[in-house]
Amino acid sequence: MWSDTTVDHDNGNGWAAGESSFMTDRKPDSRATTLGDRLPVPVTISNLNEHFSSQDDKYVIGNFRFATVLTVGTVKDIHQDGTTFTYELCDPSNESMEYRALKYENEGSASDHSAIVEGSRVRAIGKLKGFDGVNTIMLFNITSVTDDKDFTIFELEAEAARLFFQKNMSDKLKSEVTSRGFQGMLAPPKSRGGQQQQAQSSSNDNKDRIYQAPTHQPQEKTLSERVLAILRAIDGDAREEGSNIQWIAEQANERDMEKMRKCLDDMVQMGLAYTTVDEDSFSAI
């Protein structure tokens, strides 16, 4: 779902009106802060407009404040100034709701923006920032969305994320008291283990009547999985500056640089990574 992106929380009022004392009455939750700094949260442009906090450039849901967002919008206007692309996006479900997105390209960048035209629908991933009173998404990546199903999936993910964080489900799932009665994937680990054990026991009763499933060794991680783990393990300023492709290849034990380049390019296109100081330096979202 939305696990491959970073999001900032905004607007201390959350999704419910009247919580104007959020910034002063509540102490920061370190877990919520960490999640808000690292998770790219899916959000519609309408909700982003309504719950953006200009105090710290974050999108706010309940106790969570996200710095990085993933959204889908329709392009109303495009302006190019050298290597800077400015996109005016609107919510496909509410065109009166607009948001600006900026993409800075390095000199000699191979990025192709020709597929993004006025009237097209795009997926935008980036960090929230306010410039001269204009709320802006500083883009890591922007790609076309041509399939209506992809937009429908995004809307469902955005609503699921809104409800999950608004109701603080992460803490409720960790509490034996509040999670009592939850079933399936929402059940606490012990209860879920019991359900799995019961199902396994039922399955074992029929073991003599069906073939024995072969035992498989766990598969090795793919190159993209290894690279993503390497990039996400980097903290602080080093992560912001990015890592050189040669260093990444060494860490991933990959000698084929053409394969390494294609892997990183694919990760950028999927919104899992982005280029930083130059076309050879990458960081994970």
Side-chain angles (χ1 to χ4, degrees), residues 5-6 8 40 48 52 57 67-71 83-87 89 99-105 123-132 134-142 240 273-275 285:
T5 330
T6 301
D8 272 30
L48 183 55
F52 176 80
D57 296 334
T68 308
V69 296
L70 181 156
T71 193
T83 58
T84 301
F85 293 80
T86 303
Y87 301 95
L89 308 179
Y99 221 90
R100 184 175 72 173
L102 289 180
K103 183 71 167 72
Y104 293 110
E105 295 289 1
R123 177 184 289 105
I125 304 174
K127 193 166 186 176
L128 297 173
K129 192 71 178 177
F131 288 116
D132 299 326
V134 180
N135 299 336
T136 304
I137 301 175
M138 305 303 296
L139 292 170
F140 297 143
N141 193 33
I142 183 168
E240 291 291 330
Y274 62 98
T275 55
I285 294 176

Side-chain angles (χ1 to χ4, degrees), residues 201-222:
S201 176
S202 175
S203 175
N204 288 340
D205 292 340
N206 300 323
K207 190 177 294 185
D208 295 336
R209 287 175 288 173
I210 59 177
Y211 70 90
Q212 181 70 33
T215 301
H216 297 284
Q217 294 294 330
Q219 296 182 350
E220 292 186 4
K221 289 185 177 181
T222 64

Side-chain angles (χ1 to χ4, degrees), residues 1-17:
M1 289 176 64
W2 60 85
S3 58
D4 296 329
T5 330
T6 301
V7 181
D8 272 30
H9 291 74
D10 174 30
N11 190 339
N13 296 336
W15 295 88

Side-chain angles (χ1 to χ4, degrees), residues 43-49 70-76 88-99 119-124 143-148 150-152 154-155 158:
V43 56
T44 64
I45 289 177
S46 294
N47 281 331
L48 183 55
N49 268 301
L70 181 156
T71 193
V72 171
T74 300
V75 180
K76 295 191 71 174
E88 298 296 339
L89 308 179
C90 69
D91 192 326
S93 301
N94 184 358
E95 293 187 357
S96 65
M97 288 292 186
E98 301 180 1
Y99 221 90
S120 64
R121 201 160 46 192
V122 296
R123 177 184 289 105
T143 55
S144 297
V145 176
T146 57
D147 194 332
D148 289 341
D150 289 338
F151 177 61
T152 300
F154 160 76
E155 287 190 306

Side-chain angles (χ1 to χ4, degrees), residues 35-281:
L35 188 61
D37 287 341
R38 295 183 179 180
L39 176 69
V41 70
V43 56
T44 64
I45 289 177
S46 294
N47 281 331
L48 183 55
N49 268 301
E50 294 175 5
H51 303 284
F52 176 80
S53 170
S54 58
Q55 293 180 342
D56 54 359
D57 296 334
K58 293 187 178 180
Y59 164 60
V60 177
I61 314 178
N63 296 343
F64 297 85
R65 312 179 73 80
F66 294 94
T68 308
V69 296
L70 181 156
T71 193
V72 171
T74 300
V75 180
K76 295 191 71 174
D77 186 58
I78 304 174
H79 177 71
Q80 181 179 358
D81 182 8
T83 58
T84 301
F85 293 80
T86 303
Y87 301 95
E88 298 296 339
L89 308 179
C90 69
D91 192 326
S93 301
N94 184 358
E95 293 187 357
S96 65
M97 288 292 186
E98 301 180 1
Y99 221 90
R100 184 175 72 173
L102 289 180
K103 183 71 167 72
Y104 293 110
E105 295 289 1
N106 297 315
E107 293 289 347
S109 171
S111 298
D112 183 10
H113 292 259
S114 61
I116 302 175
V117 296
E118 292 182 15
S120 64
R121 201 160 46 192
V122 296
R123 177 184 289 105
I125 304 174
K127 193 166 186 176
L128 297 173
K129 192 71 178 177
F131 288 116
D132 299 326
V134 180
N135 299 336
T136 304
I137 301 175
M138 305 303 296
L139 292 170
F140 297 143
N141 193 33
I142 183 168
T143 55
S144 297
V145 176
T146 57
D147 194 332
D148 289 341
K149 291 181 181 179
D150 289 338
F151 177 61
T152 300
I153 291 171
F154 160 76
E155 287 190 306
L156 294 173
E157 289 182 341
E159 180 63 10
R162 184 186 73 82
L163 293 173
F164 184 88
F165 293 111
Q166 178 187 10
K167 297 179 181 296
N168 199 15
M169 291 301 297
S170 58
D171 281 350
K172 290 182 179 180
L173 291 172
K174 297 173 184 176
S175 169
E176 293 186 4
V177 176
T178 57
S179 64
R180 192 170 298 158
F182 288 175
Q183 298 181 358
M185 292 304 296
L186 289 180
K190 291 182 180 179
S191 300
R192 188 159 61 244
Q195 295 170 3
Q196 294 173 344
Q197 185 175 2
Q198 182 178 1
Q200 184 177 1
S201 176
S202 175
S203 175
N204 288 340
D205 292 340
N206 300 323
K207 190 177 294 185
D208 295 336
R209 287 175 288 173
I210 59 177
Y211 70 90
Q212 181 70 33
T215 301
H216 297 284
Q217 294 294 330
Q219 296 182 350
E220 292 186 4
K221 289 185 177 181
T222 64
L223 178 58
S224 60
E225 288 174 333
R226 299 201 307 273
V227 170
L228 192 59
I230 291 167
L231 294 179
R232 286 182 171 171
I234 302 170
D235 293 323
D237 293 340
R239 183 165 180 173
E240 291 291 330
E241 293 176 2
S243 301
N244 185 271
I245 186 173
Q246 293 283 355
W247 181 85
I248 298 172
E250 291 176 3
Q251 300 303 309
N253 196 26
E254 177 57 59
R255 297 182 179 180
D256 188 338
M257 293 307 298
E258 184 176 344
K259 182 178 179 181
M260 185 77 256
R261 171 69 68 178
K262 184 179 185 306
C263 173
L264 287 165
D265 288 344
D266 289 344
M267 290 174 64
V268 169
Q269 289 300 316
M270 290 187 293
L272 299 176
Y274 62 98
T275 55
T276 57
V277 296
D278 55 43
E279 291 299 306
D280 290 331
S281 299

